[in-house]
Amino acid sequence: APSISRLRIEWTSKFDFQILLPDYGNLVVEMPRLPKALYYFFLQHPEGAMLNSLADYKEELLAIYKRVSNKSNPEEIGKNVERLVDPFDNSVNVNCSRIKNAFVKLIDDRLAQNYYITGYRGRPKKIALQPALIEIVEVSL
């Protein structure tokens, strides 16, 4: 079986980063900005988080999304994050699916499930990949 690649987050500018799988020929995982912000949030929380209590992390999610969003419209940024943390809105599930699809499109699901957000109902959702395999490279200005 192929081994599990490291995951490399490389900030390419002050406002964007690439998601790379260095050991799979440096595959680039493409996804829109909102799922990307959500993904980055989960990388920062290896212990995981309950999707229905994301409102507790609203400020943090807002800060990440503000950084990666090229939308200069703060109202729209705010609205997207509101929907993301609203337990009665489906936005978080839609965005988790987008993250999953981004990986499954590139690699077999048995490997991909190490990278996307998983977890049982009623338990914290998290990225299964060992934190030791995750590298975040900040932009050097």
Side-chain angles (χ1 to χ4, degrees):
S3 59
I4 293 171
S5 172
R6 290 162 298 154
L7 177 81
R8 184 177 165 99
I9 299 290
E10 209 167 281
W11 285 88
T12 49
S13 74
K14 241 172 16 185
F15 305 109
D16 199 16
F17 62 84
Q18 276 195 323
I19 302 170
L20 302 162
L21 297 169
D23 307 311
Y24 301 152
N26 243 356
L27 281 176
V28 178
V29 185
E30 299 279 0
M31 61 182 82
R33 309 263 173 170
L34 189 57
K36 208 174 193 184
L38 183 65
Y39 192 67
Y40 193 80
F41 166 81
F42 272 95
L43 287 173
Q44 303 284 339
H45 290 274
E47 75 288 355
M50 301 288 289
L51 293 186
N52 59 5
S53 43
L54 281 184
D56 299 347
Y57 303 97
K58 189 172 130 186
E59 291 311 310
E60 189 182 344
L61 281 158
L62 199 53
I64 297 168
Y65 186 49
K66 267 186 186 147
R67 184 173 175 189
V68 300
S69 178
N70 49 3
K71 292 183 171 57
S72 47
N73 180 347
E75 199 176 309
E76 195 177 341
I77 291 174
K79 229 178 263 171
N80 284 341
V81 172
E82 278 302 333
R83 289 194 53 201
L84 198 59
V85 304
D86 179 351
F88 303 106
D89 192 301
N90 199 33
S91 172
V92 71
N93 296 311
V94 169
N95 284 289
C96 283
S97 291
R98 286 188 180 137
I99 292 166
K100 177 178 176 174
N101 293 339
F103 284 98
V104 172
K105 206 162 66 181
L106 298 174
I107 54 177
D108 183 85
D109 188 54
R110 280 182 312 238
L111 291 171
Q113 59 193 3
N114 293 289
Y115 301 98
Y116 57 76
I117 297 160
T118 56
Y120 295 104
R121 191 181 282 282
R123 311 272 311 142
K125 301 280 191 252
K126 57 171 85 165
I127 295 166
L129 192 68
Q130 292 304 307
L133 292 175
I134 299 168
E135 183 186 11
I136 298 181
V137 186
E138 271 293 345
V139 64
S140 43
L141 294 176

